[in-house]
Amino acid sequence: TSTVLTASGATTYSWNTGASTNTISVSPSSTTVYTVTGTTNGCTNTKTVSVSVTPNPTVSVSNRTICAGTSTVLTASGATTYSWNTGATTNTISVSPTSTTVYTVTGTTNGCTNTKTVSVTVTANPTVAVNNATICAGTSTVLTASGATTYSWNTGATTNTVSVSPSSTTVYTVTGTTSGCTNTKTV
């Protein structure tokens, strides 16, 4: 942001910025010392003023993409106090959105504020479907899972289809994974 520096009590002014007015607007990026020399009837006086710059708060996010049903921690830093659009006033909040959601935090230090937004994307868990099979003793069947990118069966198989020949009623479990999100189905 910017601030206005105003010198008074002299006829002419000379700032170290090169300005020759009594008022200057400055926007330093870090703490900066400004000097003004005022002159009246050949007599001068010099004054310095330090403009302190308060850094804007920053926001870091532990995970911008989460699986449905999970949570992530949003952490703001660089300010003294915080205000989230969720109503929280701590620097860290845990969120569990059910769909992609934008969160906003305003950080304040010494009256200076900065607002940051972050979008948390929710990835749907894959829908894993498996055909249900009833077989006769001594025969086999193929179980097929669908709806995910990769698969892991309790038999050790990692394909979407497995051929099984159980000697008695058996429960098979497959976990489907898409973009790091998982879903498990039993048959």
Side-chain angles (χ1 to χ4, degrees):
T1 61
S2 63
T3 189
V4 174
L5 304 179
T6 303
S8 60
T11 307
T12 62
Y13 303 91
S14 176
W15 293 85
N16 63 337
T17 63
S20 58
T21 58
N22 72 315
T23 301
I24 63 170
S25 179
V26 294
S27 303
S29 58
S30 61
T31 299
T32 303
V33 175
Y34 294 93
T35 304
V36 62
T37 300
T39 304
T40 301
N41 296 327
C43 298
T44 62
N45 192 11
T46 300
K47 179 73 176 176
T48 60
V49 62
S50 177
V51 175
S52 298
V53 177
T54 301
N56 291 322
T58 58
V59 177
S60 63
V61 181
S62 60
N63 195 353
R64 289 179 186 260
T65 302
I66 62 171
C67 300
T70 63
S71 64
T72 188
V73 174
L74 307 180
T75 302
S77 61
T80 306
T81 62
Y82 303 90
S83 176
W84 293 86
N85 63 335
T86 63
T89 57
T90 55
N91 72 313
T92 300
I93 63 172
S94 178
V95 295
S96 304
T98 56
S99 61
T100 298
T101 305
V102 175
Y103 294 92
T104 304
V105 61
T106 299
T108 304
T109 301
N110 296 328
C112 297
T113 62
N114 193 25
T115 299
K116 294 286 186 178
T117 60
V118 63
S119 179
V120 175
T121 302
V122 178
T123 301
N125 292 320
T127 301
V128 177
V130 180
N131 59 318
N132 197 356
T134 301
I135 62 171
C136 298
T139 62
S140 66
T141 189
V142 174
L143 301 178
T144 303
S146 60
T149 306
T150 62
Y151 302 90
S152 176
W153 293 84
N154 62 338
T155 63
T158 57
T159 57
N160 73 315
T161 60
V162 292
S163 178
V164 294
S165 303
S167 57
S168 61
T169 300
T170 304
V171 174
Y172 294 94
T173 303
V174 61
T175 299
T177 303
T178 300
S179 300
C181 299
T182 62
N183 196 9
T184 300
K185 182 76 173 178
T186 59
V187 60

